[in-house]
Amino acid sequence: MPVFKNESNNTWYVMSRYVNWKGERKQKCKRGFATKREAQEWERTFQQQNAADMDMS
């Protein structure tokens, strides 16, 4: 998902969509990053955490 810049206070924010453990589609917004790189890093780790599979073999 893209990272956006809030022009009013010069910070960055992330809008990320994911599927929770119930199978519901959710959207998370995280605001207040000082740099674009910080926002992208947070988004990357958030997506990795939600990509974990609950099924065990």
Side-chain angles (χ1 to χ4, degrees):
M1 301 311 272
V3 176
F4 303 100
K5 185 167 187 174
N6 188 352
E7 295 296 334
S8 63
N9 59 0
N10 290 328
T11 59
W12 294 87
Y13 66 96
V14 178
M15 296 290 285
S16 182
R17 291 185 179 96
Y18 65 99
V19 178
N20 69 1
W21 63 276
K22 295 181 191 176
E24 302 169 340
R25 290 183 178 202
K26 297 284 186 170
Q27 184 172 351
K28 176 138 180 120
C29 179
K30 178 80 173 176
R31 299 177 183 268
F33 295 103
T35 63
K36 185 176 182 179
R37 184 173 292 184
E38 289 177 12
Q40 289 172 334
E41 180 64 28
W42 182 88
E43 180 187 21
R44 191 174 310 114
T45 57
F46 180 73
Q47 291 295 338
Q48 287 176 347
Q49 289 173 354
N50 287 317
D53 190 14
M54 296 297 287
D55 296 331
M56 294 182 144
S57 56

